[in-house]
Amino acid sequence: MSRSAHPAGPRHADVWPEGHYSAPPADVNALDPKVWAQTVTRTDTGEVSVGGIGVAALAEEFGTPAYFVDETDFRARARAWRTAFGHDADVFYAGKAFLSRAIVRWLHEEGLNLDVCSGGELTTVLSAGMPADRIAFHGNNKSTDEITQAIEAGVGRIVLDSFQEIVRVAHIAQSLGTRQRVQIRVTVGVEAHTHEFIATAHEDQKFGIALADGQAAEAVRRALTLDGLELIGIHSHIGSQIFDMAGFEVAARRVVALLAAVRDEHGVELPEIDLGGGLGIAYTSDDDPREPHEIAKALGEIVTRECEAARLRTPRISVEPGRAIVGPTAFTLYEVGTIKPLEGLRTYVSVDGGMSDNIRTALYDAEYSVALVSRTSDAEPMLVRVVGKHCESGDIVVKDAFLPSDLAPGDLIAVPATGAYCRSMASNYNHALRPPVVAVRDGEARVIVRRETEEDLLRLDVG
Ligand code: LLP
């Protein structure tokens, strides 16, 4: 992401150091709808509200830090994906982005399927009433117990990730007297333009079976011979937080080429392909994500074209968006604790959470936005770094952003676009208590994941 190193205007040029930040915003009180959930707005008093409820009341009732999910926005995004892909395709929400039983019920009601990648996620999804045949089970090292649990539950598909797993799943299915529907996950060999830790289609990484050296074709050969397996398709997931459709198009082309090779070799036309998740969202105003209908159109066209060229029936397509559905729908609300201006550098604003509720900045060098939400301010913007309360200097929530220079302890600030991979990757570092997730809709707020308590911590400590 390219961001200007220097803010505009001579007044600032010698004040602000080199950094990733853009120029100070024209209006530090403005809320860019690109990064804030749909119903987030400033009320007449200057306070921010979501779902019709002001943040001061939310902080009062639920405490801080806390994640607030805009249910209206979540459902609208889920529906937009469902509608964009239509009846000839399936949308599997990737539960790893954020999972709770309320979320599963919303997805069920909106007609989406779900992808899980552990026994814990599977149990959660099943316990919320999602029909098993609408669940896909992923993972590069599923345990025997997890595979057994998934097959016994009757999941719609297991995505096979290695040669050992092909045999393992076939064996367990057979011993349970069933045939499991499976896909084979292939690595298509594209370099997705994203952080190295979240790119998954280049060859030198742990996921999938490589297309390039004939391994994927060999995996298909083996899967087709095993009685416990019903091979229904090929799966590819190229990475996460990707804006450029080119990688998906190359992946689609290569997956269809494999389908054609399978048809030529075995006389079998596999009926499904899954192109994974990974679509990027706006974390700052500099990001320009694609809309679901554009993505559906681009993927549909490429698959249809390639299949026509190879004289294949067009397979049923599925996709697995996680971040693109839940990411933009939530923000994290913090209370400002201490403020330290460092002369010639920047001002450090410490909040009551940190890397335990958002590890993404430390882990991926992720960019975030932030706003003062308990009031507006006419003060000059100041360059800040929002940091947490943990015992390390890498405990950064927002690297570089602008907040009003009259910011004071007790003010509420919020970081938008924290719906994905924040609560789901939250930790108890320094014995922090993981924050609650509160769903807000039409003037009502309810806890869907409660705040951890010290009793929760002590319950696990049995020594
Ligand atoms: N399908 C598969 C097989 C996946 O591995 C993933 C994400 C998804 C779908 C959903 O991807 P999404 O649409 O959410 O990008 N913790 C990292 C992201 C890791 C993604 C892992 N797999 C982050 O915070 O950026």
Side-chain angles (χ1 to χ4, degrees), residues 81 92-98 115-117 138-139 159 185 194-195 197-200 207 235-242 248 274-280 283 319-326 358-360 363-364 366 368 420-422 424-425:
W81 277 86
F92 287 75
Y93 169 80
K96 67 204 82 183
F98 172 64
D115 122 28
V116 299
C117 64
H138 276 280
V159 182
R185 174 156 174 184
T194 187
H195 191 280
F197 292 176
I198 51 177
T200 54
F207 292 107
H235 183 286
S236 155
H237 170 74
I238 61 171
S240 201
Q241 185 58 7
I242 298 168
F248 292 98
D274 188 315
L275 295 171
L279 277 307
Y283 285 101
V319 287
E320 299 172 337
R323 187 193 318 263
I325 293 178
V326 69
N358 186 350
I359 190 64
R360 298 194 67 261
L363 194 55
Y364 313 118
Y368 279 94
Y421 304 109
C422 287
S424 67
M425 293 174 79

Side-chain angles (χ1 to χ4, degrees), residues 263-399:
R263 187 261 329 266
D264 294 345
E265 182 178 343
H266 306 280
V268 174
E269 289 200 26
L270 299 177
E272 295 187 14
I273 65 173
D274 188 315
L275 295 171
L279 277 307
I281 63 163
Y283 285 101
T284 74
S285 299
D286 293 341
D287 296 327
D288 287 307
R290 298 291 192 101
E291 295 295 325
H293 67 266
E294 295 176 84
I295 296 158
K297 185 165 179 285
L299 293 180
E301 280 174 4
I302 183 96
V303 171
T304 307
R305 192 166 62 235
E306 295 296 310
C307 287
E308 273 169 12
R311 294 189 314 283
L312 279 168
R313 266 192 306 277
T314 305
R316 190 172 179 85
I317 299 178
S318 47
V319 287
E320 299 172 337
R323 187 193 318 263
I325 293 178
V326 69
T329 69
F331 61 81
T332 314
L333 188 64
Y334 300 103
E335 184 178 309
V336 173
T338 61
I339 300 176
K340 260 184 216 174
L342 300 190
E343 200 53 42
L345 292 171
R346 71 189 90 239
T347 296
Y348 279 77
V349 174
S350 294
V351 294
D352 47 358
M355 64 196 298
S356 53
D357 58 71
N358 186 350
I359 190 64
R360 298 194 67 261
T361 309
L363 194 55
Y364 313 118
D365 210 21
E367 308 255 5
Y368 279 94
S369 321
V370 62
L372 170 61
V373 289
S374 41
R375 61 185 173 92
T376 48
S377 165
D378 295 330
E380 283 292 311
M382 64 174 171
L383 177 63
V384 300
R385 178 160 286 178
V386 178
V387 295
K389 57 183 291 172
H390 295 282
C391 295
E392 53 185 284
S393 46
D395 173 25
I396 298 169
V397 180
V398 186
K399 268 187 300 188

Side-chain angles (χ1 to χ4, degrees), residues 124-135:
T124 304
V125 171
L126 288 171
S127 76
M130 179 62 87
D133 62 357
R134 285 170 52 188
I135 302 174

